Amino acid sequence: MDSQAKLNNYLNENFDRIVSMLQEWLTIPSISTLPEHAGDVQRAAQWAVERLSAIGFPEARIVSTAGHPLVYAEWQVDSQQPTLLIYGHYDVQPVDPVHEWSSPPFQPTLRDGYIYGRGASDDKGQIMLVLAALEAWAETNTTQPVNVKILLEGEEEAGGAAVGDYVLNHPETLRADAVLICDTHMVNAGQPSLITSLRGILYTEIAVSGAKTDLHSGSYGGVAPNPLHALCLLISRLKSEDGSIHIPQLASAIPAASLTEKQFWQEDPLHIQKELLVEMGVNKMVGETSYPPLERIGLRPTLEVHGIRGGFSGEGAKTVIPARAVAKVSLRLPANLDPNEVFGWLLQAVQSNMPAGYQFHLSNLHAGKGISVNPDNPYIRAAAEAVEVIFGTLPVFMREGGSIPIAALFDEVLQVPIVLLGFGLPGDRVHAPNENFSLDQFRKGMKTVADFLGRIRHSKP
Ligand code: BES
Ligand code: MN
Ligand code: MN
């Protein structure tokens, strides 16, 4: 039996056990953004350390930080071989609205070929398939084909700073020839893809105040400032109905796309636009109609309001003019833009569009730069070959609208190829109720990563 057949055999034979290990990990509610789950986040990290040790990593440890812990592991096999750094995040999103889940979010359940549970796809399930591939190499060859470093973080979903500080302060520990990140999705089950860019993100909070206290809307309505209304006006001035964003500096800072890419967006040969409508359950898209939807998701900046707090939103009626209101507003940004610089632009735009008669404070909750990778390197070629072998179809290169902030820092600090090879599907419902991961994608994912590891042997320059 050749090496690939042995790996695939091992992964098939151990599939059920690997899935049940994933289920065990998924029962730990490692929600990074909720302080009451800090202990669970710690337990999920510990679980990963134990799994890595069991696979055979000579070094596997918790790295304490000011926030949630990191997990670091290393398996040096041969200094003549390249070193692969693998990144993932073991924290998960909150589960609300929890009554919309068909099975409890932390009681992972297998149904109709999918595993349901918070973190199934984003990102514990995808880390688990990488660990399975490493285990397969360890068990069938007693070692790894290349040197492997693993860095897992526990606050990706909270935009945390710990992993960024670690990367900036430990470039030598992390030194590698390439980085592998499995935390994205493919076009669909029949069409695998590799990601060539991620958008950056700037997440802000706008607090607005008017009167010194809440007021009776009869006695003061007509003269009192209403911070909720001010926020509505402001937001509609920052982004109008046609989707255009009114931050003057932005317009001139957007990079141009290649002709091939524009054509791909325009023609949409994979019919992604139709799938998007189905996924969203709508019959019409909103936004900048002068740009194709794929460009709007992959390259254009966007501004979204996530929530507005203030006044009265309980059952029934209460006639109040609130003294204060707060909105959460984020921007997605093309990879070339520095989100912290964009914060300055946004501040100016808020200053000039805020209605008169209000005080406001704009805070930068977190900012992460996007990334754009040149796929012309041996590591991404190896990933494409592995995908083709296991999926039976050549992958397409796609831009992803979501963000993985640490990827940009890897790019800056390590300056090596970053392979964005995710196995999720658009229907995974990441961040939403009923998050799930296709077991078929999981199985193919393990095999693809195992194959990829073998392919990058001896590719060191
Ligand atoms: N895995 C996602 C990024 C992603 C989203 C990839 C959609 C592919 C499709 C990641 O966990 C994530 O959710 N990132 C956050 C980053 C933010 C909280 C700093 C995001 O994009 O909102
Ligand atoms: Mn993720
Ligand atoms: Mn996520």
Side-chain angles (χ1 to χ4, degrees):
M1 220 170 12
D2 68 359
S3 156
Q4 198 198 353
K6 270 199 272 180
L7 291 163
N8 288 342
N9 247 356
Y10 180 88
L11 291 168
N12 284 334
E13 277 167 13
N14 289 274
F15 188 72
D16 292 347
R17 185 180 53 84
I18 291 164
V19 171
S20 58
M21 287 192 294
L22 171 60
Q23 280 178 288
E24 191 183 295
W25 202 16
L26 289 174
T27 59
I28 307 175
S30 48
I31 306 171
S32 52
T33 201
L34 302 177
E36 63 269 31
H37 283 284
D40 297 317
V41 177
Q42 172 86 31
R43 276 202 298 137
Q46 196 58 48
W47 190 94
V49 168
E50 281 158 27
R51 187 87 282 280
L52 286 158
S53 304
I55 290 170
F57 274 76
E59 181 186 352
R61 57 188 164 89
I62 295 270
V63 178
S64 305
T65 73
H68 296 302
L70 301 169
V71 171
Y72 183 75
E74 199 175 306
W75 192 335
Q76 294 291 340
V77 297
D78 178 351
S79 61
Q80 293 310 301
Q81 287 298 337
T83 299
L84 181 69
L85 172 64
I86 299 170
Y87 162 86
H89 64 91
Y90 66 83
D91 64 322
V92 300
Q93 285 273 329
V95 296
D96 49 282
V98 70
H99 62 270
E100 283 183 26
W101 288 75
S102 306
S103 50
F106 297 109
Q107 284 173 38
T109 308
L110 304 181
R111 276 201 308 277
D112 311 321
Y114 295 84
I115 178 166
Y116 286 82
R118 176 57 88 228
S121 169
D122 186 13
D123 180 33
K124 284 174 178 162
Q126 302 213 50
I127 296 175
M128 195 62 209
L129 67 85
V130 175
L131 298 187
L134 295 165
E135 179 185 309
W137 272 98
E139 293 299 316
T140 59
N141 293 268
T142 71
T143 184
Q144 297 301 323
V146 296
N147 305 304
V148 180
K149 295 178 176 178
I150 297 197
L151 182 64
L152 306 180
E153 76 161 302
E155 51 188 36
E156 193 268 354
E157 300 290 11
V163 74
D165 292 345
Y166 188 79
V167 172
L168 285 171
N169 293 321
H170 300 81
E172 284 318 313
T173 310
L174 298 176
R175 189 67 57 215
D177 297 286
V179 179
L180 173 68
I181 303 179
C182 301
D183 189 26
T184 49
H185 60 234
M186 297 186 157
V187 173
N188 58 50
Q191 179 56 68
S193 46
L194 276 158
I195 301 299
T196 54
S197 85
L198 296 161
R199 281 193 291 189
I201 183 168
L202 168 66
Y203 200 110
T204 71
E205 185 174 284
I206 309 172
V208 179
S209 61
K212 67 179 180 191
T213 178
D214 286 4
L215 297 169
H216 189 290
S217 68
S219 311
Y220 299 93
V223 293
N226 185 331
L228 270 178
H229 191 211
L231 272 174
C232 293
L233 289 170
L234 172 72
I235 290 163
S236 65
R237 288 173 188 170
L238 291 176
K239 184 173 91 170
S240 35
E241 191 178 352
D242 64 7
S244 54
I245 300 173
H246 304 283
I247 299 175
Q249 298 94 327
L250 257 189
S252 54
I254 298 159
S258 70
L259 278 176
T260 332
E261 195 160 29
K262 280 190 181 148
Q263 200 171 8
F264 178 76
W265 287 331
Q266 207 71 55
E267 291 172 5
D268 186 22
L270 303 171
H271 310 292
I272 298 172
Q273 303 184 27
K274 218 174 80 199
E275 285 191 34
L276 283 170
L277 290 172
V278 175
E279 285 158 31
M280 293 190 289
V282 301
N283 46 36
K284 190 172 161 39
M285 292 186 191
V286 304
E288 298 177 297
T289 45
S290 50
Y291 296 91
L294 291 180
E295 179 168 5
R296 271 137 70 185
I297 293 174
L299 183 64
R300 300 287 303 163
T302 59
L303 184 148
E304 293 297 340
V305 52
H306 304 289
I308 301 184
R309 188 173 78 223
F312 178 72
S313 57
E315 294 293 320
K318 179 186 179 193
T319 48
V320 63
I321 297 178
R324 274 176 299 279
V326 175
K328 309 270 186 184
V329 172
S330 82
L331 287 148
R332 297 280 170 173
L333 301 164
N336 63 316
L337 291 180
D338 171 0
N340 287 311
E341 188 180 358
V342 175
F343 180 75
W345 302 348
L346 177 65
L347 183 59
Q348 286 175 22
V350 171
Q351 262 154 1
S352 47
N353 287 291
M354 182 66 75
Y358 298 89
Q359 284 83 52
F360 78 90
H361 183 75
L362 179 71
S363 0
N364 179 343
L365 297 191
H366 62 74
K369 203 167 183 291
I371 175 184
S372 167
V373 300
N374 178 354
D376 187 16
N377 66 70
Y379 294 93
I380 295 188
R381 276 196 290 277
E385 286 163 15
V387 167
E388 189 183 10
V389 165
I390 303 298
F391 283 76
T393 312
L394 258 177
V396 289
F397 290 109
M398 293 289 295
R399 286 182 192 258
E400 168 57 55
S403 312
I404 304 177
I406 198 58
L409 215 53
F410 285 141
D411 190 35
E412 229 173 271
V413 173
L414 303 175
Q415 305 199 345
V416 295
I418 299 185
V419 183
L420 296 164
L421 172 60
F423 298 94
L425 292 177
D428 286 358
R429 303 190 188 209
V430 294
H431 296 200
N434 300 313
E435 178 175 349
N436 64 87
F437 196 25
S438 149
L439 292 173
D440 190 49
Q441 289 291 114
F442 185 74
R443 188 191 293 269
K444 286 179 178 146
M446 307 184 308
K447 294 179 179 175
T448 304
V449 173
D451 187 81
F452 168 73
L453 292 170
R455 259 169 221 281
I456 61 176
R457 259 186 309 195
H458 303 298
S459 62
K460 192 165 180 157

Coordinates of all heavy atoms in Angstrom, one line a residue, residues 89 91 93 122-123 156-157 183 403 430-431, ligand 3:
H89 N -8.7 28.6 15.6 CA -9.3 29.2 16.9 C -10.3 28.2 17.5 O -11.1 27.7 16.8 CB -9.9 30.6 16.7 CG -11.1 30.6 15.8 ND1 -12.3 30.5 16.3 CD2 -11.2 30.8 14.4 CE1 -13.2 30.6 15.3 NE2 -12.5 30.8 14.1
D91 N -12.1 29.0 20.2 CA -13.3 29.7 20.8 C -14.4 29.7 19.8 O -14.3 29.5 18.6 CB -12.9 31.2 21.2 CG -12.5 32.1 20.0 OD1 -11.9 31.6 19.1 OD2 -12.9 33.2 20.0
Q93 N -18.7 31.4 18.9 CA -19.6 32.5 19.0 C -20.7 32.2 20.1 O -20.9 31.0 20.3 CB -20.3 32.7 17.7 CG -19.4 33.4 16.6 CD -19.5 34.9 16.7 OE1 -20.5 35.5 17.1 NE2 -18.4 35.5 16.4
D122 N -16.9 26.3 12.6 CA -16.1 27.5 12.9 C -15.7 27.5 14.4 O -16.4 28.0 15.2 CB -17.0 28.7 12.6 CG -16.2 30.1 12.7 OD1 -15.0 30.1 12.8 OD2 -16.9 31.1 12.7
D123 N -14.5 27.0 14.8 CA -13.6 26.4 13.9 C -13.1 25.1 14.4 O -12.1 24.5 13.9 CB -12.4 27.4 13.7 CG -11.3 27.0 12.8 OD1 -11.6 26.3 11.8 OD2 -10.1 27.4 13.1
E156 N -10.5 34.6 18.9 CA -10.7 35.1 17.5 C -12.0 35.8 17.4 O -12.2 36.9 16.8 CB -10.5 34.0 16.5 CG -10.3 34.4 15.1 CD -11.6 34.5 14.3 OE1 -12.7 34.1 14.8 OE2 -11.6 35.0 13.1
E157 N -13.1 35.1 17.9 CA -14.4 35.6 17.7 C -14.7 36.9 18.5 O -15.8 37.5 18.3 CB -15.5 34.6 18.1 CG -15.4 33.3 17.3 CD -15.8 33.4 15.8 OE1 -16.0 34.5 15.4 OE2 -15.9 32.3 15.2
D183 N -10.2 27.7 8.0 CA -11.3 28.4 8.8 C -12.1 29.2 7.8 O -12.6 30.3 8.1 CB -10.6 29.4 9.8 CG -11.6 30.0 10.7 OD1 -12.7 29.4 10.9 OD2 -11.3 31.1 11.3
S403 N -13.4 37.8 7.8 CA -12.0 38.3 8.2 C -11.4 37.3 9.2 O -12.1 36.7 10.0 CB -12.2 39.6 8.9 OG -13.0 40.5 8.2
V430 N -22.6 29.3 10.2 CA -21.6 29.8 11.2 C -22.2 31.1 11.9 O -22.8 31.9 11.2 CB -20.2 30.0 10.6 CG1 -19.6 28.7 10.2 CG2 -20.3 31.0 9.5
H431 N -21.9 31.2 13.2 CA -22.4 32.3 14.0 C -23.9 32.3 14.2 O -24.4 33.2 14.8 CB -22.0 33.7 13.4 CG -20.5 33.9 13.3 ND1 -19.9 35.2 13.2 CD2 -19.5 33.1 13.4 CE1 -18.6 35.1 13.2 NE2 -18.3 33.8 13.3
Ligands
MN3 MN -16.3 33.0 13.3

